[in-house]
């Protein structure tokens, strides 16, 4: 997800928590930014200069790198070596590194084990559920696991359900650190045993009565739902479809979901997603509800712990391949998926439990092995939801040029939003022949508008395009118009 809120008042964890290359290079790039040399506007296409002037934006705060995939020199190099915050364009680094290191067919496991094999359908001791960082483990996957347990004949669990998320180290952070919105899904923190991206689904069904008009999933008796929604018998329009959802104490196990406002009974049902409560509570109560709905019973509760030696594996759920997950991550800019994938790099190559520092070391070695000159680069958590992340247009451009010649070019291209068609580019460049000709990963934060990917020009020539713009207010439409002016010019003239 890409937040575009004007009230980002708090930064992410300080770069002082990083060690080695991240700390040294991060401080270097932050100090270097104000010293960047002024840009020469005449190096830019006239339509880009016109867009900058119309939006009252400064070319000195813009970095561009445009190069044909069959060329050795850039067509446009505008502040190409200056370090910028790339926002969610950073997910391209996570994408390419994970394909190189893990491979496109890599899958995540979620294991279900027991102290002993079931006897007459009864697990006399504890059931263990161990996560390995699956970035997209859904309630549907949990239901499939329940179905498979029932097919094994398991009908009763007399002990506890032990949740083992030790594959990742705990993330020592407040989800509200970035912008003081801890209930937003884009701020959700990673966990090795994650359900539904850590989100609570809030369903508003206006034709219901009273409490039935609002339901939540997963069910969680520790969280309260306060529904004061005003249902009216009027045509559905903007003035009669204004639900308000607030989460009180979202990081507490006993968080309260408050739903108020006005909704017409003639409006269609709608789903909303928030982060609230304890993720272990959510996982356990979803599992219990599904298991009981299939005719099973659980005597105990849940506790966090480790799978014990000698436990018997009952079933293993395997995720879809990494390449499928990268499609989801990039098309809709899913932050927590990127963070889970980056942590997996750390766990797989540096050992468990995974940490962001281990993952950063993997990225560092990978970039060095590819002969990328990433002096000053700061990757942080791999999602781009960061105030200290830095990359230059040249660094991103050279990475994308190398991708074009790599075995995984098709996999990377398939993950990128297509102009005028899907993902975060679906509403841009929707008319004219350029529609469908630009595959661009977008990025947006306060004072950041970024984009990078590939464009097929009218001439039939393919270009790498990197656009990084860091300027106050650039996220409010103006930066998008500058980018679209460049893409349109390149399509017509490249």
């Amino acid at each position: 997800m890409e937040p575009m809120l004007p009230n980002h008042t708090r930064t992410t964890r300080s770069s002082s928590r990083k060690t080695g290359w991240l700390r040294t290079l991060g401080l270097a790039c932050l100090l270097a930014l104000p010293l960047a040399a002024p840009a020469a506007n005449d190096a830019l296409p006239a339509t880009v200069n016109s867009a900058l002037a119309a939006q009252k934006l400064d070319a000195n705060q813009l970095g561009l790198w445009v190069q044909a995939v069959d060329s050795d020199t850039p067509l446009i190099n505008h502040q190409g070596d200056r370090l910028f915050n790339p926002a969610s364009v950073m997910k391209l680094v996570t994408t390419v590194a994970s394909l190189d290191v893990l491979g496109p067919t890599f899958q995540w496991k979620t294991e279900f084990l027991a102290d002993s094999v079931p006897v007459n359908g009864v697990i006399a001791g504890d059931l263990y559920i161990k996560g390995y960082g699956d970035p997209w483990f859904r309630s549907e996957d949990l239901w499939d696991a329940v179905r498979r347990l029932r097919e094994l004949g398991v009908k009763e669990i007399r002990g506890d359900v032990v949740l083992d998320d030790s594959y990742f180290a705990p993330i020592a952070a407040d989800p509200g650190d970035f912008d003081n919105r801890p209930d937003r899904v884009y701020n959700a923190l990673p966990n090795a045993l994650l359900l539904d991206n850590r989100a609570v689904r809030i369903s508003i069904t206006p034709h219901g009565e009273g409490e039935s008009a609002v339901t939540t999933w997963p069910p969680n008796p520790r969280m309260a739902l306060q529904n004061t929604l005003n249902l009216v018998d009027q045509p559905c329009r903007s003035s009669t479809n204004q639900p308000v959802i607030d989460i009180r104490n979202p990081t507490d196990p006993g968080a309260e979901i408050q739903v108020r406002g006005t909704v017409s009974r003639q409006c269609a049902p709608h789903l909303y997603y928030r982060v609230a409560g304890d993720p272990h509570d959510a996982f356990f109560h979803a599992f219990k509800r599904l298991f009981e709905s299939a005719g099973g019973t659980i005597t105990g509760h849940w506790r966090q712990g480790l799978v014990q030696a000698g436990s018997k594996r009952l079933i293993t759920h395997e995720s879809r391949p990494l390449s499928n997950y990268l499609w989801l991550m990039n098309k809709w800019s899913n932050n927590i998926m990127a963070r889970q994938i980056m942590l997996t790099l750390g766990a797989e190559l540096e050992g468990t439990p995974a940490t962001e520092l281990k993952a950063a070391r993997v990225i560092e070695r990978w970039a060095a092995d590819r002969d990328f000159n990433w002096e000053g680069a700061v990757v942080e958590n791999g999602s781009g939801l960061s105030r200290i992340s830095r990359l230059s247009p040249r660094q991103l451009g050279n990475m994308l040029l190398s991708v074009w010649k790599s075995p995984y070019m098709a996999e990377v291209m398939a993950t990128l939003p297509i102009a005028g068609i899907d993902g975060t580019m679906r509403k841009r460049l929707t008319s004219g022949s350029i529609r469908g000709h630009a595959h661009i990963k977008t990025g947006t934060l306060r004072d950041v508008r970024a984009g990078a990917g590939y464009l097929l020009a009218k001439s039939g020539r393919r270009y790498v395009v990197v656009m990084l713009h860091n300027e106050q207010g650039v996220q409010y439409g103006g930066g998008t118009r500058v980018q679209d002016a460049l893409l349109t010019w390149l399509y017509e003239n490249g």
Side-chain angles (χ1 to χ4, degrees):
M1 303 295 176
E2 300 179 352
M4 294 177 281
L5 301 173
N7 61 338
H8 294 170
T9 57
R10 302 172 66 186
T11 62
T12 53
R13 296 180 301 285
S14 168
S15 61
S16 64
R17 294 190 60 228
K18 306 295 178 186
T19 59
W21 76 289
L22 278 178
R23 180 176 61 224
T24 303
L25 299 179
L27 291 174
C29 76
L30 289 171
L31 293 172
L33 282 176
L35 304 179
N41 285 22
D42 57 2
L44 299 175
T47 53
V48 174
N49 280 323
S50 296
L52 286 163
Q55 302 304 316
K56 296 181 172 58
L57 294 173
D58 186 357
N60 294 327
Q61 309 307 319
L62 172 66
L64 300 177
W65 186 270
V66 177
Q67 184 169 335
V69 298
D70 58 355
S71 173
D72 293 329
T73 57
L75 177 67
I76 297 175
N77 174 9
H78 178 76
Q79 302 198 109
D81 292 313
R82 179 175 172 179
L83 293 160
F84 292 84
N85 187 326
S88 281
V89 170
M90 182 62 76
K91 292 182 177 72
L92 288 176
V93 175
T94 303
T95 297
V96 180
S98 64
L99 283 169
D100 275 352
V101 174
L102 300 175
T105 62
F106 179 87
Q107 292 176 279
W108 284 261
K109 298 184 298 182
T110 303
E111 295 179 334
F112 293 74
L113 311 95
D115 282 330
S116 58
V117 296
V119 177
N120 296 323
V122 176
I123 296 176
D126 295 331
L127 177 78
Y128 301 92
I129 307 177
K130 181 175 177 61
Y132 290 86
D134 188 339
W136 195 251
F137 189 82
R138 314 294 291 169
S139 290
E140 295 85 348
D141 299 318
L142 190 58
W143 168 246
D144 182 65
V146 166
R147 178 189 59 79
R148 292 172 62 191
L149 286 172
R150 294 293 286 120
E151 287 177 350
L152 289 177
V154 178
K155 60 183 179 182
E156 184 177 356
I157 301 168
R158 291 184 178 171
D160 288 336
V161 175
V162 181
L163 305 178
D164 185 342
D165 60 359
S166 60
Y167 191 70
F168 293 168
I171 301 294
D174 179 345
D177 277 350
F178 188 79
D179 59 3
N180 204 28
R181 302 299 297 270
D183 63 323
R184 299 300 174 174
V185 176
Y186 61 76
N187 277 325
L189 297 178
N191 191 281
L193 187 61
L194 192 72
L195 181 69
D196 293 336
N197 273 191
R198 210 167 185 160
V200 176
R201 185 182 70 208
I202 302 164
S203 176
I204 296 180
T205 309
H207 59 263
E209 295 293 336
E211 291 297 324
S212 68
V214 181
T215 58
T216 62
W217 179 268
N220 191 340
R222 297 181 68 184
M223 288 201 307
L225 172 63
Q226 184 184 79
N227 173 18
T228 58
L229 198 64
N230 179 32
L231 299 176
V232 297
D233 292 309
Q234 298 176 22
C236 183
R237 54 174 67 99
S238 59
S239 61
T240 59
N241 189 21
Q242 297 184 343
V244 178
I245 299 173
D246 292 321
I247 310 295
R248 294 190 60 188
N249 305 314
T251 59
D252 292 347
E256 181 177 84
I257 300 172
Q258 298 179 336
V259 183
R260 53 189 172 85
T262 299
V263 174
S264 166
R265 295 185 187 276
Q266 298 179 34
C267 290
H270 202 80
L271 301 178
Y272 302 85
Y273 297 90
R274 297 289 188 272
V275 175
D278 184 279
H280 301 100
D281 266 345
F283 200 105
F284 169 74
H285 287 293
F287 175 74
K288 184 179 182 185
R289 174 69 62 86
L290 294 171
F291 190 71
E292 290 176 344
S293 70
T297 60
I298 299 176
T299 301
H301 194 57
W302 73 267
R303 55 188 170 86
Q304 193 173 1
L306 302 176
V307 173
Q308 297 301 297
S311 299
K312 310 300 181 183
R313 184 178 291 105
L314 302 178
I315 62 171
T316 299
H317 170 82
E318 291 188 337
S319 75
R320 284 178 284 176
L322 169 66
S323 57
N324 289 32
Y325 279 5
L326 294 175
W327 186 93
L328 289 166
M329 180 185 80
N330 283 337
K331 289 290 186 181
W332 303 105
S333 206
N334 188 304
N335 288 331
I336 196 168
M337 290 186 76
R339 298 185 70 169
Q340 297 270 126
I341 292 169
M342 183 167 169
L343 284 168
T344 301
L345 289 172
E348 291 291 313
L349 274 76
E350 293 248 334
T352 59
T355 66
E356 288 181 349
L357 288 176
K358 287 181 179 179
R361 286 197 293 266
V362 173
I363 296 288
E364 177 189 15
R365 290 198 304 271
W366 163 79
D369 289 345
R370 294 290 296 267
D371 292 326
F372 295 150
N373 179 8
W374 276 22
E375 183 179 357
V378 181
V379 176
E380 201 186 16
N381 58 40
S383 74
L385 191 71
S386 167
R387 296 294 180 206
I388 67 170
S389 292
R390 292 294 185 272
L391 287 170
S392 74
R394 184 194 297 269
Q395 288 166 343
L396 275 167
N398 285 338
M399 184 188 75
L400 291 173
L401 286 168
S402 76
V403 166
W404 186 256
K405 301 173 184 177
S406 80
Y408 303 132
M409 178 274 290
E411 280 77 11
V412 174
M413 180 75 81
T415 73
L416 302 181
I418 306 173
I421 293 179
D422 69 3
T424 56
M425 287 288 291
R426 67 195 183 281
K427 295 182 180 180
R428 293 174 56 182
L429 302 171
T430 56
S431 61
S433 54
I434 190 176
R435 180 178 183 269
H437 283 71
H439 290 66
I440 303 293
K441 177 70 196 80
T442 60
T444 306
L445 294 174
R446 186 193 65 198
D447 302 338
V448 179
R449 197 70 175 98
Y454 302 93
L455 180 140
L456 181 63
K458 184 187 293 186
S459 65
R461 203 175 188 192
R462 183 86 63 177
Y463 288 85
V464 163
V465 182
V466 180
M467 306 168 287
L468 304 181
H469 200 162
N470 293 179
E471 184 173 359
Q472 185 175 5
V474 73
Q475 75 274 21
Y476 298 122
T480 299
R481 294 182 180 92
V482 172
Q483 289 185 6
D484 289 354
L486 174 67
L487 294 172
T488 301
W489 175 86
L490 184 60
Y491 174 76
E492 295 292 340
N493 298 280

